[in-house]
Amino acid sequence: MRIREKFAQLEEKKEKALIAYVCAGDPTAEATKDIVSALVRGGADIVELGLPFSDPVADGPTIQAASQRALDAGMNPDRYFELIASIKAGVPLVCMTYYNLIYKRGLERFASDCALSGISGIIVPDLPAEESDDLQTACRKHGIDLIFLVTPVTNEARMEKILGKTSGFVYIVSRLGVTGARADVARSTTEILSRVHTDVPKAVGFGISDREQAREVIAAGADAVIVGSAFVNIIASGEDVNARVETLARELKSACREGRN
Amino acid sequence: MKRSMYGRYGGQFVPEVLMPALAELEEAYDRYREDPRFLEELAYYMKDFAGRETPLYFARNLSEKYGIRIYLKREDLVHGGAHKLNNTIGQALLAKYMGKKRLIAETGAGQHGTATAMVGATMGFETEVYMGAKDVQRQHMNVYRMQLMGTTVHPVESGSKTLKDAINEALRDWVTNVENTHYLIGSVVGPHPYPMIVRDFQSVIGNEVKRQIMEKEGRYPDSIVACAGGGSNAMGIFHPFIEEKEVRLFPVEAGGCGLKSTAKEALHSASLCVGEDGILQGAHTRVLQDRYGQILESSSVSAGLDYSGVGPELAYLADTGRIRPCNVNDEEALEAFYELSRTEGIIPALESSHALAYVMKMAQSGELGELVVISLSGRGDKDLETVFGLKEMENREVCL
Ligand SMILES: Cc1ncc(COP(=O)(O)O)c(C=O)c1O
């Protein structure tokens, strides 16, 4: 399913979107399948599946550790696409990974593998707009959304350029820093949302981990909340993972229904 | 060619959060590199704080033994004991002019961290250094030095616990604190404009050599040899000679225990010699990686060369044939360490020992010509424990 169809569906139902991130292959590929099912049962509208990289500079300790567990368990791009092809989630799947893995596979082949296996969009945290033309060409050709990030320090000129490029949704980094659950949702969320003028859905991430935070972000005007480390922490605990993942997804999704402004 | 690129290498592969900071840095650099007040202050620190210029020393005993004329560019005599201070003075001044309050840096051998701690102390910055836990152990004298000068040292436990992992952690800090912090990168690596800025500040080495060798020999050398980890002392001494096509330029990488790799780890750090195109820590360059693009851990007896990437401009110059990448292994570097100490009364850093070893190995081959300049990038005091530790181990096998 294309990301824009998903957002159109939600629009009809007057709901906002829950986008959940987990690292593929953490702790095993089999486990990831069950976790994705649990996320979708709980109400996740889009699932981001991290393709783990050895040197994830944009990630905090939680996702670094998840990437390492997945790599240790043998996850690699070949197995990643096999795993994706075997998942029948019924929601759009998004690949989040670092540029070297894409570059090494070949941009064209990577985009094609995404399309064939059932990935709808790609997020590359170390690929700024300036360096993205080639990947964008490959993604367009294969009908894959290339999703860009904006941050509190992105100025007007850059904002315009990035919003012109992003497709699927725009990933709004609500505060400076790496990924990871935080107690406070940045006050800068409201500020940055007021600067993002676009028809593309606005998804806010980095630091959101519970229902209250999700509600605040939706109330501030976001079309989606992105939650990663909070799920990954549950997976890392190894305890009652699927049930707890589902419960957290359900709580977060409820905020996406009520919190509507 | 875009200014950020060296052929197909270079670029700015960093999180969006850092793009404004890179633009700000480039702008500041373009402004202040021509500003008389900045240049005067830079010259002052270079002379009275760093102790420049450094001598170009004719190594008579070595020359006699190997039958060619060998000069040593004495960067080991720079304050702190390595060329690293040339760059940290320049960047810290830039940071000061840009109004930053805090410096962060990565370090491998601890020399760049120490050089950052020095400028941090004298120019009044809050300074924090990331250092792989393995390097903290093998270079702990430098950890004490940094701490004495008021710098906080963060051991990094991820990955191979060496330079690459320290850079990752420094980048994560920068992403978080970019508004008040300057990331003082220690080599010609990372996203544009760092490779350019670091090269320019280090070019003082090559510019001095140009003048000094003319005075002493009345001509340019046949070849210049420098060790290359990230490549800053190499680019610094090569850059002023790039257009002097008759001067052969040799970056010497760490051959470690041989140019082989296991699934996760290279037994060497020779990314120019055997690395492949890839994107690492902000730049498109040559990288040690597996077939999927996962970065391999590197290894070397010398912490300062123990890195899976290399500066993008070196990758470009290697492709064009202007520089000739080569490598020596741990054993050869150690031999050179002993030999320079004995023959010339100069204890070289293990990094610099790689450049020395290459000259010792190739002197008779004709490849280097008759007149050679070696970048003696640092002194070896920091390495005594490593060397004596290895010596105590039976028959000094480095690669077990
Ligand atoms: C003495 C010395 N030489 C060389 C290096 C390697 O760095 P580069 O290749 O940037 O000159 C280091 C790094 O720590 C060093 O301490």
Side-chain angles (χ1 to χ4, degrees), chain B residues 82-84 109 111 187 227-233 304-305 349 351-352 377-378:
Chain B
H83 68 294
K84 296 289 179 185
Q111 289 299 122
S187 191
C227 67
S232 67
N233 87 93
L305 303 184
E351 291 79 15
S352 324
S377 57

Side-chain angles (χ1 to χ4, degrees), chain A residues 100-171:
Chain A
N100 198 45
L101 297 186
I102 299 174
Y103 179 82
K104 185 75 173 150
R105 196 169 187 84
L107 310 186
E108 173 66 30
R109 180 173 167 216
F110 196 94
S112 156
D113 285 341
C114 283
L116 291 173
S117 64
I119 290 282
S120 306
I122 308 179
I123 303 171
V124 193
D126 63 343
L127 187 72
E130 281 76 357
E131 307 285 358
S132 67
D133 287 351
D134 296 345
L135 183 59
Q136 194 163 35
T137 305
C139 284
R140 285 218 176 103
K141 182 172 159 200
H142 292 280
I144 303 290
D145 290 314
L146 186 56
I147 296 151
F148 287 87
L149 297 88
V150 297
T151 80
V153 295
T154 304
N155 65 22
E156 295 291 306
R158 290 192 63 77
M159 187 73 83
E160 205 169 305
K161 173 153 68 177
I162 295 168
L163 292 176
K165 279 184 160 265
T166 197
S167 74
F169 57 87
V170 58
Y171 193 135

Side-chain angles (χ1 to χ4, degrees), chain A residues 52-57 59 64 71 76-78 100-101 103-104 125-126 128 131 149 151 153-154 158 176-177, chain B residues 11-17 19-20 164 168 172 175-176 179 276-279 284 289-295:
Chain A
F53 179 52
S54 54
D55 294 82
V57 292
D59 286 303
Q64 282 176 51
L71 289 171
N76 65 38
D78 291 339
N100 198 45
L101 297 186
Y103 179 82
K104 185 75 173 150
D126 63 343
E131 307 285 358
L149 297 88
T151 80
V153 295
T154 304
R158 290 192 63 77
L176 301 184
Chain B
Q12 300 185 303
F13 297 88
V14 294
E16 170 59 26
V17 176
M19 291 300 282
K164 168 174 78 70
N168 286 343
R172 291 182 185 118
V175 162
T176 311
E179 285 167 310
E276 294 163 355
D277 263 51
I279 284 87
H284 182 170
Q289 55 186 326
D290 73 8
R291 66 195 185 90
Y292 293 113
Q294 305 293 0
I295 308 305

Side-chain angles (χ1 to χ4, degrees), chain B residues 136-155:
Chain B
V136 165
Q137 291 225 320
R138 61 178 162 172
Q139 305 275 305
H140 70 242
M141 272 306 169
N142 274 338
V143 176
Y144 296 142
R145 294 210 290 170
M146 289 183 262
Q147 288 169 341
L148 273 173
M149 291 181 279
T151 288
T152 307
V153 180
H154 302 284

Side-chain angles (χ1 to χ4, degrees), chain A residues 21-95:
Chain A
Y21 167 96
V22 295
C23 181
D26 169 29
T28 64
E30 274 309 305
T32 299
K33 284 194 207 177
D34 295 338
I35 290 165
V36 171
S37 301
L39 286 167
V40 173
R41 277 199 307 277
D45 299 297
I46 295 174
V47 177
E48 282 179 25
L49 284 163
L51 167 56
F53 179 52
S54 54
D55 294 82
V57 292
D59 286 303
T62 302
I63 294 177
Q64 282 176 51
S67 303
Q68 196 56 54
R69 287 192 297 271
L71 289 171
D72 290 345
M75 184 46 66
N76 65 38
D78 291 339
R79 290 185 186 154
Y80 179 84
F81 288 116
E82 282 168 26
L83 169 65
I84 298 295
S86 75
I87 294 177
K88 303 282 172 266
V91 303
L93 301 178
V94 169
C95 171

